[in-house]
Amino acid sequence: MNSGISANGVRSLLRRVFPAACPVCGGVAEETPLYPVCRQCQGDLPLLPPEHCRICAEPGRYSGGACEVCAADPPPFEAVLTRHLYSGSVMGAVRAFKYAGHPELARALARMIAPAVMESGGRWDGVVPMPLHWLALFRRGYNQSHLVARVLAAECGLSFWPGRLERIRRTQAQAGLDREARARNVLSAFRAAMNLPAGSRILLVDDVVTTGATARAAARALLEGGAGSVSVAAIARAPTLF
Ligand SMILES: [Zn+2]
Ligand SMILES: [Zn+2]
């Protein structure tokens, strides 16, 4: 280009003329790390309390560090890495990202996960996104976990391994189901791909972890497919209400 103005210059000029709306509150988005989430909403991002289950991140203080559910039935994953609670402006941003056609939020949301991944001190061979069934992918036009996982892998200097986990069965939406119904719903919904390297340490990326039923089913499929270990990274943890 010889116009003397870079693509970035054009973009920032456009933003000045047509400021983007914050997807959470509709206010004017500013040039911040979590752009286009506005400064106000970023200040209100609800944090996961320091006391939470060391495995599934369920908020609360537990003797031995693990919640009753994890103690009674240990998950196939090592930990859920997240910094945020699924409420308030985090919920608003995730909903805008998943349901209101804002795939550009992937960068901001991945940056919200990156510190939890870096601070955990864990080591991974590859970052695997939670797969969507093809029909859901067709309807939404993008797999939200794929977009977040790709940015997260780049931010953390890890390899991005899309397509190493497949969704082989369509499932009902988990929202509105209780713990047992969720577990039944996702049973044998996943299968590891043939090209999953044996013994690999996987960082599985999901948008929100609620009861962990989906994460358990996906992690189990990865381990059955030969993975050595699985950790889960998520934008937020929804506290279990039942
Ligand atoms: Zn806002
Ligand atoms: Zn737990």
Side-chain angles (χ1 to χ4, degrees):
M1 220 158 68
N2 56 7
S3 61
I5 184 160
S6 67
N8 272 339
V10 170
R11 221 170 290 134
S12 74
L13 185 69
L14 280 173
R15 277 180 192 166
R16 242 173 290 148
V17 181
F18 305 106
C22 166
V24 182
C25 70
V28 175
E30 299 166 67
E31 294 285 347
T32 52
L34 297 190
Y35 182 87
V37 177
C38 75
R39 205 176 290 272
Q40 173 85 39
C41 290
Q42 283 183 49
D44 293 342
L45 296 175
L47 292 170
L48 185 73
E51 294 199 320
H52 55 261
C53 171
R54 64 180 162 79
I55 304 174
C56 75
E58 172 87 10
R61 177 188 247 172
Y62 306 103
S63 61
C67 74
E68 297 87 347
V69 175
C70 290
D73 181 16
F77 51 79
E78 301 195 328
V80 172
L81 308 174
T82 187
R83 282 194 126 183
H84 295 278
L85 272 184
Y86 188 57
S87 68
S89 51
V90 169
M91 189 188 273
V94 170
R95 283 189 175 160
F97 176 53
K98 284 175 72 173
Y99 307 119
H102 284 287
E104 76 282 5
L105 275 168
R107 179 160 297 278
L109 295 170
R111 284 185 172 156
M112 285 164 53
I113 312 176
V117 171
M118 305 292 255
E119 284 162 17
S120 74
R123 291 176 169 272
W124 295 280
D125 300 303
V127 177
V128 172
M130 184 68 82
L132 268 188
H133 187 264
W134 67 267
L135 197 58
L137 183 63
F138 178 75
R139 279 207 205 109
R140 188 168 298 160
Y142 54 95
N143 173 357
Q144 69 279 5
S145 300
H146 180 106
L147 300 184
V148 167
R150 189 174 55 195
V151 180
L152 182 68
E155 294 263 325
C156 299
L158 296 166
S159 302
F160 181 44
W161 285 3
R164 308 284 170 111
L165 179 66
E166 299 160 346
R167 196 176 277 249
I168 50 175
R169 199 165 59 74
R170 206 173 144 221
T171 50
Q172 205 184 329
Q174 293 282 71
L177 300 180
D178 67 14
R179 179 184 295 280
E180 277 169 31
R182 281 171 186 251
R184 260 198 318 275
N185 188 32
V186 291
L187 199 69
S188 58
F190 301 97
R191 180 178 60 199
M194 297 296 285
N195 61 355
L196 183 74
S200 51
R201 297 161 298 180
I202 304 291
L203 184 63
L204 175 67
V205 177
D206 200 1
D207 46 19
V208 177
V209 169
T210 306
T211 62
T214 307
R216 279 177 184 251
R220 198 166 294 125
L222 286 165
L223 294 175
E224 281 168 6
S229 68
V230 180
S231 301
V232 179
I235 300 161
R237 177 66 158 87
T240 314
L241 299 171
F242 39 77

